[in-house]
Amino acid sequence: MKKEVFIEPPFITLGQLLKEEAIVSSGGQAKWYLKEHAVDVNDEPDDRRGRKLYPGDTVDVKDVGLFFIRLKQAE
């Protein structure tokens, strides 16, 4: 699955992304999830739930999907 995730500036954390996409239900679960599952940020492994994600970043959650971080446009 490929999905665009629209964020308000300036960033979102990896843990917040996992919660918003219903991969985990809490920050504590995000910490555990990242220790047990492979997650790549911009094609590099990362297990920090506090990792800041900016527009243009890509997050590949193995066996879940590929997420593209985009800036939410003002309406």
Side-chain angles (χ1 to χ4, degrees), residues 24-68:
V24 300
S25 61
S26 71
Q29 283 184 338
K31 184 176 182 179
W32 169 84
Y33 186 90
L34 290 168
K35 296 293 181 196
E36 300 292 322
H37 297 85
V39 175
D40 291 343
V41 177
N42 298 326
D43 297 320
E44 294 184 8
D46 204 324
D47 64 358
R48 300 172 292 161
R49 68 178 173 174
R51 166 72 187 259
K52 293 178 182 176
L53 305 172
Y54 296 93
D57 287 344
T58 59
V59 180
D60 185 5
V61 182
K62 304 297 186 222
D63 300 323
V64 176
L66 184 61
F67 300 91
F68 301 96

